Amino acid sequence: MGHDWIYFDANASEPVRPAALDALARAASVPGNPSSVHRAGREARAVLESARERLAALFGARGDNCVMTSGGTEANLLAVAGLGAGRRVLVSAIEHDAVRAAVVGESIPVDGDGVVRLAVLERMLADPRGGPALVCLMLANNEVGTIQPVAEAARICRAHGALLHVDAVQAAGRIAVDLRVLGADGLAVSGHKFGGVKGAGALLLAGDATRTLPPVMAGGGQEMGRRGGTPALPAIAAMAEAASEAVAALAVEGAASMARWRDAIDAAAAAAGAVVCGAAAPRLANTTCLALPGRTSQMQLIALDLAGFGVSAGSACSSGKVARSHVLDAMGLGPLAGEAIRVSLPWTTREEDVMRFIEAYRTMAARLPVRRVTLEEAGA
């Protein structure tokens, strides 16, 4: 990869923070297994428990309610299987595939900006035929960046005896995330989304839920019997270090620069004929979704890659496929769902990178041929 190629796909994976790499190297040098009782095992256990306590404190949970997993997907699966046991599951229409694939649940609709319709959620929960429920609502959408009114949803859930699980994978490290403030029962995070390395995540739980959470992956009784398998200690240590650095940077610097750069990209793209998806809703400062009518997502990705920029079309969890976005479909954007790209700025972004991207986008929009939309695609 040449030095002129710029990575603008942070929502797929953030660049690793140097401090996280240092923590990974230190943990990797510890030979013991955290489950062993000898000196090396105790040293490994100390690394694990330190990371657990740091991560829990950063995101508003108790250490003994922080379950280490292999990433956000496993954390969401564990939450749905455990918190959803014996309950019907209600899932927002724009949830990540990690949640959508975990359960066949009832879909909660969103509006044209990707914000969950709370009045509909309340009606669904109030239906006397439904029974107890688990509601799954992501804090920030991975494709559009829409920030959901999770605290309001939590109040509705409590009023109807429902549990609430929050996928905070894209939000953690980019906005304030606190399990207690949100009022959720479960919260999933993933280390590589805020500058750790791939292979570590966590499910944080409120109250005493952890003690009764049945494991999805059985094994040797690790994680207090909630998740089997030897923990990936280096990746876990890197995750805790990256989370500490990301949250500290957010507290000191805020997201003003990111928001300014995102808004500049939005304005330039709109002037070039693009539709900024979900622009009227609160969004992550680093994320924008741009639909260019008549140009497929794949055409745009290739053109921008050749121009020196790495962006994506929706989620990065589809084995390299470029597929029509279920998120944009749920927002009612019609053919635009297959004509959108996601630009997500990493923590390493510089202003000159943004200015170069704006020029590349303008050039692409002017040169790409317009594709005819069929009657079927248009919904006729």
Side-chain angles (χ1 to χ4, degrees):
M1 188 182 299
H3 68 280
D4 290 331
W5 195 87
I6 296 171
Y7 181 78
F8 274 4
D9 196 17
N11 287 11
S13 191
E14 283 275 8
V16 180
R17 296 174 182 271
L21 281 179
D22 290 342
L24 180 144
R26 291 193 300 272
S29 70
V30 178
N33 186 313
S35 297
S36 298
V37 297
H38 50 59
R39 179 184 299 178
R42 294 195 302 272
E43 184 179 354
R45 170 64 67 176
V47 173
L48 175 62
E49 296 308 322
S50 174
R52 190 192 311 279
E53 291 294 336
R54 291 175 70 187
L55 201 68
L58 287 168
F59 298 126
R62 296 192 331 231
D64 61 355
N65 273 350
C66 177
V67 185
M68 297 301 184
T69 68
S70 61
T73 294
E74 186 189 343
N76 282 317
L77 175 62
L78 184 60
V80 171
L83 297 178
R87 293 173 175 264
R88 62 182 176 134
V89 182
L90 280 57
V91 179
S92 92
I94 62 169
E95 291 301 296
H96 191 278
D97 285 341
V99 172
R100 282 158 37 95
V103 65
V104 178
E106 302 171 60
S107 180
I108 313 165
V110 297
D111 65 19
D113 287 303
V115 179
V116 68
R117 295 186 181 275
L118 293 177
V120 177
L121 170 62
E122 183 149 31
R123 286 200 298 271
M124 294 172 75
L125 291 175
D127 186 343
R129 299 167 297 177
L134 167 67
V135 174
C136 296
L137 179 61
M138 61 188 354
L139 181 50
N141 182 259
N142 52 300
E143 295 187 29
V144 184
T146 305
I147 299 171
Q148 299 293 341
V150 169
E152 290 87 343
R155 285 193 285 273
I156 293 171
C157 288
R158 283 196 298 273
H160 295 280
L163 299 179
L164 175 65
H165 171 62
V166 174
D167 176 351
V169 165
Q170 292 295 342
R174 294 177 181 151
I175 61 174
V177 175
D178 190 299
L179 178 67
R180 294 162 300 192
V181 173
L182 293 173
D185 297 282
L187 186 88
V189 299
S190 182
H192 74 102
K193 300 294 189 178
F194 42 73
V197 298
K198 303 166 189 71
L203 173 63
L204 300 109
L205 294 150
D208 295 326
T210 296
R211 298 195 180 110
T212 58
L213 194 69
V216 170
M217 188 162 68
Q222 295 91 343
E223 295 298 296
M224 294 177 63
R226 300 159 302 194
R227 193 266 186 187
T230 302
L233 196 61
I236 289 170
M239 173 171 62
E241 189 66 36
S244 297
E245 191 169 282
V247 171
L250 186 65
V252 173
E253 302 165 10
S257 293
M258 284 286 188
R260 185 174 69 250
W261 294 336
R262 179 205 63 196
D263 292 346
I265 291 172
D266 286 354
V275 175
V276 181
C277 305
R283 289 179 293 158
L284 293 174
N286 80 315
T287 304
T288 189
C289 181
L290 308 171
L292 198 56
R295 289 80 151 187
T296 67
S297 302
Q298 186 164 1
M299 291 168 61
Q300 297 176 61
L301 294 184
I302 293 171
L304 288 170
D305 192 18
L306 292 173
F309 290 90
V311 299
S312 68
S315 172
C317 298
S318 301
S319 300
K321 296 180 292 184
V322 177
R324 184 183 176 97
S325 167
H326 77 274
V327 171
L328 301 187
D329 271 337
M331 291 166 60
L333 295 183
L336 292 179
E339 299 168 342
I341 62 169
R342 178 186 69 189
V343 181
S344 48
L345 308 178
W347 67 270
T348 52
T349 299
R350 304 171 302 171
E351 187 165 7
E352 53 263 40
D353 299 336
V354 174
M355 295 303 105
R356 279 185 55 193
F357 177 81
I358 287 172
E359 288 305 311
Y361 190 91
R362 286 172 175 155
T363 300
M364 176 198 70
R367 291 181 179 175
L368 280 182
V370 177
R371 180 181 69 95
R372 290 175 179 266
V373 178
T374 67
L375 292 177
E376 182 180 356
E377 289 174 313

